[in-house]
Amino acid sequence: MCGIVGYVGDNKSIEVLLGGLRRLEYRGYDSAGVAVIDSEGHIGTRKRAGKLQVLVDDLEDRPLANGATGIGHTRWATHGGPTDRNAHPHLSADGKLALIHNGIIENFAELKQELVESGATFTSETDTEVAALLVGREYESTQDLTEALRRVVARLHGAFTLLVMHEDQPGVVVGARRNSPLVIGLGDGENFLGSDVAAFVEFTRRAVAIGQDQIVTIRPDSVEVIDFGGAPVETEEFDVAWDASASEKGGWSSFMAKEISEEPEAVGNTILGRVHDGLVKLAELDPIGDAALADLDRIVIIACGTAAYAGMLGKYAIEAWARVPVDVELSHEFRYRDPILTERTLVISISQSGETMDTLVAVQHATAAGARVLSVCNTQGATIPRESQAVVYTHAGPEVAVASTKAFVAQVTALYLIGLHLAGVRGTLTDDQIRENVVELQAIPDKIAEVLSVSQAEIGQLAHWMTDTQSVLFLGRNVGYPVALEGALKLKELAYIHAEGFAAGELKHGPIALIEPGQAVIVVVPSPRDPNSLHPKVISNIQEIRARGARVIAIAEKGDAAVLPFADEVIPIPLAGSLFEPLLAVVPLHIFGMELASAKGLDVDQPRNLAKSVTVE
Ligand code: F6R
């Protein structure tokens, strides 16, 4: 939550900051602000409630003098409402120091009390202003911005990335991080800081991730990193795997439309390089080692939201293939209930951003308890992979729309690859069985492309007819159940329509009471071809709700004649093995959520109240 960008270099800070904020806006869009040290050596700030465009328009009407040093912020409000006054940057008492913050300072109330008692006045309701005033005071006594920040972070509890600059130190931006992200971009005669590489990828693809409890000082020609104790830290450079165009809309009506269209590549690229001689080999699992993987007695998948639904699909596949029990838990529930973990437990965290605080603290907890921790992540240089024993990256490319789509199919793909790798190591599938599943997985990108080309217009039409719908229920069984949950979540968060996903077998145990004439129900129907298929049971469930007046929209395998008499609409998906059907069935639901939100005139990329990286607990 909150996007942060810092720059030192040429006299173009405002362009760099606004460009970076545009690409970081997915992290929060309650307000935006910039501070720049101009050529006269004075700090100018501008900050406005609302989306970044409000700030951009304001800067056009009332330009701010440009400069070679600047910081910028886009906010997801925690302490204090989304107002101009609460927008960042915040200034020190003398107005000479500007500070921005991502995270929550948990002990801000006591620090504020101390400041008030010593005569400080506050202009905002934020926790951040406490840090601005404290660093300002420390600077007065030390005249050293890095040391001033170092002294203050030692007093802060919670999660924070802070960036500061001072009028007396043009050409210097100092950043510190604990439990919130910060990445350095290395330029030529200029350097950058950002919440993630999107902040500066337009200018450089050379990056360095900053570790936990570290402080970085950037100048145009140098970068120095120390820890909170003041000792120098060695850093490692990496190349950003995608270029700026990957995080641009490129002619699409929204990032979400673009990202759904990229679902085939998200799956294909995640498989790429991981199949050898038809078998899955994940070199990324080497830090854990085959012996430990063969000896596992339990896997716990931890994640939040859409990533947790991907985890539920991972459970079905890993249990089926690797024959090891898998539990799926929401990270925040897992962390605070003293879970039983041993060195024979593998904890798999899933996170697109790699910064979700709930998942990060769960990973830290699992590591401290002695479990092995493997992360599935889409973002290089993020905190969760850095704190994990091993990481399998999804290669979905940058996901900008706040609601996750292409990352979901990439996460499921990564989990399936992990399942097949484990099956090989544990000897629970023969090589031929693994190869058959690999062939199925490799066929998925083309099949998703088929869903996109066949169904898009039809789903758009359906969504258009349903703009006045107040409630939609989603049903699925077995692997269709997480798909139903994902479909419901997308509809809630994008179209603000009440939606619930249910396991279809649970219907008679309560939810069927919700069915009244006209109630829209979307049903994920399994293939009828599999002899063990739950197809007949799902058809019975459809009949039960139809008998009570439900309007049924079925996502069903093409050619499934049994479903036709009982459904008002059928959205066909190509044939696939039963574990692979979810990767196809979810695509119409992603399109449906997006189209219904668009038909209601809503911003599908930035739904209300949400932020893409949830970096607070
Ligand atoms: C829903 C959505 C969220 C995220 C969740 C976890 O569309 O995007 O539910 O899936 O906040 O985020 P990551 O994967 O970044 O940990």
Side-chain angles (χ1 to χ4, degrees):
M1 269 123 174
C2 300
I4 276 185
V5 52
Y7 176 71
V8 286
D10 297 333
N11 198 40
K12 61 175 185 195
S13 287
I14 293 179
E15 293 79 57
V16 173
L17 300 179
L18 293 180
L21 291 181
R22 189 165 52 78
R23 284 187 297 277
L24 292 179
E25 201 183 9
Y26 69 85
R27 300 179 67 89
Y29 30 86
D30 289 333
S31 65
V34 292
V36 173
I37 302 179
D38 66 23
S39 52
E40 309 281 297
H42 299 304
I43 285 189
T45 56
R46 186 68 47 79
K47 46 193 209 171
R48 294 299 307 270
K51 293 196 173 173
L52 178 63
Q53 194 56 41
V54 179
L55 175 71
V56 171
D57 292 345
D58 190 343
L59 285 167
E60 262 167 32
D61 291 348
R62 303 183 299 138
L64 200 61
N66 217 335
T69 310
I71 54 179
H73 187 267
T74 177
R75 179 170 186 243
W76 187 85
T78 55
H79 291 67
T83 61
D84 286 356
R85 274 165 24 136
N86 289 335
H88 302 208
H90 291 280
L91 300 178
S92 57
D94 61 7
K96 290 180 154 200
L97 175 141
L99 176 146
I100 54 179
H101 168 218
N102 169 28
I104 291 181
I105 299 169
E106 286 173 355
N107 58 334
F108 94 100
E110 64 190 70
L111 294 170
K112 185 167 182 173
Q113 177 72 19
E114 176 191 311
L115 282 160
V116 168
E117 280 168 12
S118 64
T121 51
F122 283 79
T123 59
S124 78
E125 301 142 278
T126 63
D127 50 343
T128 306
E129 197 175 3
V130 165
L133 295 178
L134 287 173
V135 184
R137 285 187 178 189
E138 291 293 349
Y139 182 81
E140 276 171 27
S141 60
T142 59
Q143 299 294 300
D144 179 332
L145 201 48
T146 307
E147 178 58 15
L149 185 58
R150 194 181 77 78
R151 288 185 184 186
V152 172
V153 293
R155 303 193 59 201
L156 305 183
H157 302 164
F160 49 83
T161 301
L162 298 167
L163 296 194
V164 288
M165 59 180 207
H166 195 286
E167 271 186 10
D168 296 347
Q169 304 272 322
V172 181
V173 173
V174 184
R177 67 153 293 217
R178 166 175 289 165
N179 288 335
S180 283
L182 185 59
V183 186
I184 308 168
L186 301 171
D188 189 7
E190 57 186 0
N191 285 306
F192 308 80
L193 292 171
S195 299
D196 70 42
V197 297
F200 48 72
V201 71
E202 188 182 339
F203 300 98
T204 180
R205 289 169 66 175
R206 292 174 54 213
V208 173
I210 315 235
Q212 193 67 297
D213 289 1
Q214 292 179 359
I215 298 180
V216 53
T217 306
I218 59 167
R219 298 184 171 81
D221 48 12
S222 71
V223 168
E224 282 166 46
V225 183
I226 58 172
D227 63 23
F228 280 8
V233 169
E234 284 210 12
T235 57
E236 208 175 307
E237 191 178 320
F238 64 92
D239 285 332
V240 180
W242 43 272
D243 63 20
S245 64
S247 62
E248 302 289 340
K249 249 191 260 180
W252 291 87
S253 56
S254 62
F255 279 108
M256 176 154 286
K258 173 177 178 250
E259 287 160 10
I260 292 175
S261 82
E262 290 169 347
E263 292 193 5
E265 293 84 49
V267 173
N269 291 340
T270 300
I271 301 170
L272 219 59
R274 288 169 167 158
V275 173
H276 306 280
D277 188 25
L279 300 172
V280 177
K281 288 278 173 278
L282 297 175
E284 299 95 321
L285 299 189
D286 286 354
I288 297 177
D290 284 356
L293 294 175
D295 192 42
L296 294 176
D297 64 359
R298 184 163 159 254
I299 292 178
V300 184
I301 295 179
I302 51 171
C304 301
T306 282
Y309 302 149
M312 289 171 74
L313 290 171
K315 170 187 167 75
Y316 286 101
I318 295 171
E319 286 191 343
W321 294 331
R323 304 306 297 152
V324 56
V326 181
D327 296 320
V328 184
E329 296 217 36
L330 297 169
S331 313
H332 34 91
E333 290 296 318
F334 167 86
R335 165 63 186 88
Y336 294 105
R337 66 164 184 74
D338 196 12
I340 298 162
L341 299 166
T342 72
E343 60 173 16
R344 293 182 69 200
T345 313
L346 176 67
V347 171
I348 304 180
S349 91
I350 311 170
S351 176
Q352 186 287 130
S353 60
E355 299 294 348
T356 298
M357 182 58 73
D358 292 312
T359 304
L360 173 61
V361 294
V363 161
Q364 290 167 338
H365 184 71
T367 305
R372 300 169 191 282
V373 179
L374 161 67
S375 286
V376 172
C377 182
N378 194 44
T379 311
Q380 287 174 289
T383 309
I384 292 172
R386 288 171 66 84
E387 302 223 359
S388 306
Q389 202 177 345
V391 53
V392 171
Y393 280 105
T394 48
H395 296 302
E399 193 177 61
V400 178
V402 165
S404 197
T405 55
K406 64 175 178 173
F408 174 82
V409 290
Q411 286 161 348
V412 175
T413 304
L415 290 164
Y416 282 18
L417 291 169
I418 291 168
L420 291 172
H421 179 101
L422 288 176
V425 169
R426 297 168 68 86
T428 44
L429 291 183
T430 63
D431 282 0
D432 283 350
Q433 287 170 320
I434 293 174
R435 285 195 178 95
E436 276 167 31
N437 284 299
V438 167
V439 168
E440 282 270 12
L441 192 57
Q442 286 173 323
I444 292 296
D446 285 347
K447 292 181 184 178
I448 296 180
E450 185 183 330
V451 177
L452 290 170
S453 70
V454 171
S455 308
Q456 196 122 17
E458 190 188 338
I459 299 168
Q461 185 93 74
L462 183 65
H464 214 78
W465 290 331
M466 290 178 67
T467 45
D468 293 330
T469 303
Q470 302 293 314
S471 152
V472 181
L473 305 182
F474 292 73
L475 299 182
R477 287 185 95 112
N478 194 263
V479 287
Y481 173 41
V483 176
L485 293 172
E486 167 66 358
L489 178 59
K490 288 289 107 84
L491 202 60
K492 282 180 229 190
E493 63 182 338
L494 295 173
Y496 315 152
I497 289 177
H498 174 255
E500 293 298 331
F502 295 110
E506 192 66 7
L507 207 59
K508 292 193 279 293
H509 301 282
I512 200 163
L514 290 169
I515 306 291
E516 54 187 11
Q519 170 68 52
V521 185
I522 298 187
V523 186
V524 182
V525 183
S527 163
R529 290 171 301 114
D530 182 345
N532 302 318
S533 166
L534 292 166
H535 183 265
K537 293 197 193 309
V538 173
I539 297 293
S540 302
N541 294 141
I542 294 179
Q543 284 169 314
E544 288 155 11
I545 55 173
R546 274 280 286 222
R548 288 158 179 86
R551 178 165 174 225
V552 174
I553 300 152
I555 316 275
E557 188 174 276
K558 68 181 169 196
D560 180 352
V563 80
L564 292 176
F566 308 114
D568 297 274
E569 310 282 340
V570 179
I571 296 164
I573 55 170
L575 280 58
S578 45
L579 280 169
F580 299 90
E581 283 167 12
L583 285 163
L584 307 177
V586 77
V587 179
L589 300 185
H590 285 165
I591 301 171
F592 181 68
M594 175 185 71
E595 292 287 355
L596 192 37
S598 304
K600 289 179 73 173
L602 300 171
D603 181 343
V604 297
D605 288 338
Q606 297 180 342
R608 69 185 175 202
N609 303 339
L610 295 172
K612 188 149 188 74
S613 297
V614 184
T615 54
V616 292
E617 269 189 275

